[in-house]
Amino acid sequence: MKSINFLNKTKRCIFNYNNVQKRNHISNSGNNKIISLYSWGCSKDGKLGNNNELVDCEPFPNRIETFKINENQIINNQSLNEIGIKDIECGHYHTMIIDKNDNLYQCGWTSFVGINNLTKNNKNLIPTIIKPSTISNNNNNNNNNNNNNNNNNNNFKINNVSGGRRHTLILTRDGKIFSYGIGSEYQLGHGDNENRSEPTEIKELSNKGIIKVASGWGHSLALSNDGQLYSWGFSNDSQTGHGFLIDNPIKIPKLIKTQFKFKNVFSGSDFVIAITDNGELISFGSNEFGQLGNGTQINQEFPITSINHLFNSSSSSSSTSSSSSSNKETFNKIIETAGKGRFDKRVSCGFSHCLILNDDGELFTFGWNGNGQLGIGSGNGTYQSIPRKLDSTKLFNGEKIEMVSAGRNHSVALTESGRLYLWGNSNHGKLGNGTVSGNQYEPTELIDFNEFEQQSFPLEFQKVLNISSGFDHTIIELLEDK
């Protein structure tokens, strides 16, 4: 039999294993294991980081082999593994990686990744470290500028990153907020609609105690440690929480007026899910396809209404006051704190659908379902405005789900034992199973598959550790054999 080592020995591989036996937990201790990054889907403009712009898509997982750590040095996967990977995050059209030294790498259009160019024809084909040549510095002593800039670069350590359609937000370890990319919708928060090719500090958020940033198609959000939520950018669908502001974007960060205190926030393309300190899920913004989960298709101007009570209404025969109380308790600890990296992936908002996990590892989905991205099967309508719970026994071999990620019209879920499931639209190969068109209406596990010979036994020595999806691409972190 040909080698079947997942994504390592063959370029053409596909997970398609449905054995009910859970994969053994493994650690990365010892010299026989390595943590690698794999990507697949739309490969235009370098977002897959595989140094290949000759094909439009990669329908099978490919390992990211090289990483640029400065202008003159490229390291391989083994060297990055020695540093360690802290988190992975996809923007709509670019990819971000944070290593365990809190350095940020990005690949895709340079207009999104801050490498001194704002033209479409210039792109990063491999993950490239972001070290701004200048960070806000008002020191007038020119002789000291270089030293000050070097010190600032050394202090440019990343705590949280978020990618929108064409812009990036960064929260550094010392609490500063930076933005760069396209500013046409005022999504950069600097009071103008100019583009920024390098990270530029948003001064209005200084000393606000920001603990997390989030971004959408053309809007941005920041959450403070005292539960305040700030927003700015495109507001036509009230996604900034300040009401319908047609052709009147919020130009600098503005505090959202609400009675709630928040502990986490997640953004889709034009809608927002925020979690209060009491565990209430509050949604606002565009609701064209029911992506707010409130039982309507009416846009919500302000963060005023909880949707917790709706989480059992479509999956049980009755909805009583006691079940509503139970729902509140179930979601009360959905996210303990904000900005916790890989553990901050129990909620994910895509283009117009949403995936939410409760503390029991049960997955609820709602919003647009035109391509099967809700995982509820075919024949269940093109949208769901009330959360639907997926049957874990039937769809995930009885396992709890640990992380979710929503793309444009596809979905990704990771179980507690490290098994990976994808469903929805397969255009551009974003389901990783070799198909480049059509829809998958229920979660399907992606496992090892040799293009010439089918895998016939469990992958007991490999485990997916982390996931993230962009509009039409996916990246995972995998613990595997060397």
Side-chain angles (χ1 to χ4, degrees), residues 400-456:
K400 294 181 179 180
I401 306 302
E402 187 174 86
M403 302 181 199
V404 289
S405 187
R408 182 206 303 260
N409 49 15
H410 77 292
S411 301
V412 186
L414 178 63
T415 71
E416 59 182 351
S417 70
R419 297 170 73 163
L420 186 68
Y421 292 81
L422 298 96
W423 62 97
N425 183 256
S426 63
N427 288 1
H428 306 290
K430 56 181 172 281
L431 298 187
N433 59 14
T435 61
V436 293
S437 63
N439 301 317
Q440 174 66 47
Y441 290 94
E442 292 186 352
T444 300
E445 188 177 5
L446 193 62
I447 64 169
D448 205 0
F449 186 85
N450 186 292
E451 65 176 324
F452 302 111
E453 191 166 358
Q454 185 169 353
Q455 167 66 27
S456 60

Side-chain angles (χ1 to χ4, degrees), residues 40-302:
W40 59 89
C42 181
S43 60
K44 292 181 180 179
D45 311 308
K47 66 178 73 70
L48 298 187
N50 59 11
N51 202 26
N52 183 0
E53 60 177 338
L54 300 179
V55 296
D56 287 339
C57 70
E58 285 287 356
F60 296 93
N62 281 254
R63 187 162 68 181
I64 300 176
E65 297 285 358
T66 54
F67 305 82
K68 190 173 183 179
I69 62 173
N70 58 49
E71 286 298 321
N72 303 309
Q73 186 177 6
I74 293 177
I75 62 174
N76 60 19
N77 179 61
Q78 176 67 47
S79 297
L80 184 68
N81 187 76
E82 292 173 0
I83 298 173
I85 299 167
K86 179 179 177 180
D87 203 5
I88 53 178
E89 194 72 35
C90 292
H92 288 24
Y93 303 120
H94 64 293
T95 300
M96 298 157 283
I97 301 161
I98 303 175
D99 70 22
K100 288 191 175 179
N101 290 331
D102 295 326
N103 294 310
L104 175 66
Y105 305 75
Q106 293 187 326
C107 54
W109 278 1
T110 51
S111 60
F112 310 146
V113 302
I115 310 294
N116 254 339
N117 201 298
L118 291 171
T119 65
K120 178 178 177 180
N121 293 326
N122 291 272
K123 61 204 76 171
N124 274 349
L125 298 182
I126 65 173
T128 300
I129 201 165
I130 304 299
K131 287 291 187 183
S133 58
T134 58
I135 300 176
S136 300
N137 191 335
N138 296 319
N139 193 322
N140 293 321
N141 187 341
N142 292 329
N143 293 329
N144 293 329
N145 277 347
N146 288 335
N147 289 334
N148 288 331
N149 288 335
N150 288 333
N151 289 335
N152 281 331
N153 275 331
N154 292 332
N155 292 329
F156 193 70
K157 298 299 183 180
I158 310 304
N159 184 50
N160 166 228
V161 65
S162 178
R165 175 177 175 247
R166 298 191 296 173
H167 73 292
T168 301
L169 299 177
I170 288 175
L171 168 63
T172 60
R173 206 162 56 189
D174 58 358
K176 295 180 179 180
I177 310 301
F178 295 83
S179 64
Y180 50 99
I182 302 301
S184 58
E185 310 297 341
Y186 295 86
Q187 62 266 53
L188 300 187
H190 302 297
D192 57 51
N193 60 356
E194 298 296 319
N195 301 332
R196 301 290 198 285
S197 63
E198 291 198 15
T200 304
E201 185 179 359
I202 303 177
K203 292 295 188 179
E204 286 75 10
L205 292 174
S206 297
N207 303 316
K208 297 293 187 183
I210 301 301
I211 58 174
K212 185 180 180 181
V213 291
S215 55
W217 184 268
H219 70 281
S220 303
L221 303 113
L223 176 65
S224 68
N225 55 15
D226 60 354
Q228 304 287 338
L229 192 57
Y230 299 83
S231 65
W232 60 98
F234 190 72
S235 302
N236 280 24
D237 296 304
S238 59
Q239 56 266 64
T240 56
H242 298 291
F244 291 114
L245 300 175
I246 305 300
D247 298 326
N248 186 22
I250 305 296
K251 297 182 179 181
I252 60 174
K254 181 179 180 180
L255 178 66
I256 297 177
K257 295 180 180 180
T258 177
Q259 73 271 31
F260 298 111
K261 296 292 185 182
F262 298 103
K263 64 179 178 182
N264 216 329
V265 63
F266 304 86
S267 183
S269 287
D270 53 9
F271 69 103
V272 175
I273 301 288
I275 302 175
T276 73
D277 55 359
N278 291 322
E280 299 286 344
L281 286 90
I282 312 296
S283 59
F284 58 94
S286 176
N287 199 25
E288 181 180 1
F289 303 106
Q291 61 262 48
L292 298 186
N294 61 13
T296 77
Q297 287 180 271
I298 302 172
N299 289 11
Q300 179 63 56
E301 294 187 68
F302 309 100

Side-chain angles (χ1 to χ4, degrees), residues 312 318-329:
N312 271 347
S318 64
S319 180
T320 64
S321 59
S322 62
S323 66
S324 296
S325 175
S326 175
N327 287 340
K328 180 177 180 179
E329 181 64 26

Side-chain angles (χ1 to χ4, degrees), residues 211-212 223 263-264 266 334-340 343-344:
I211 58 174
K212 185 180 180 181
L223 176 65
K263 64 179 178 182
N264 216 329
F266 304 86
I334 186 168
I335 299 292
E336 290 291 350
T337 59
K340 290 180 64 176
F343 300 109
D344 202 19

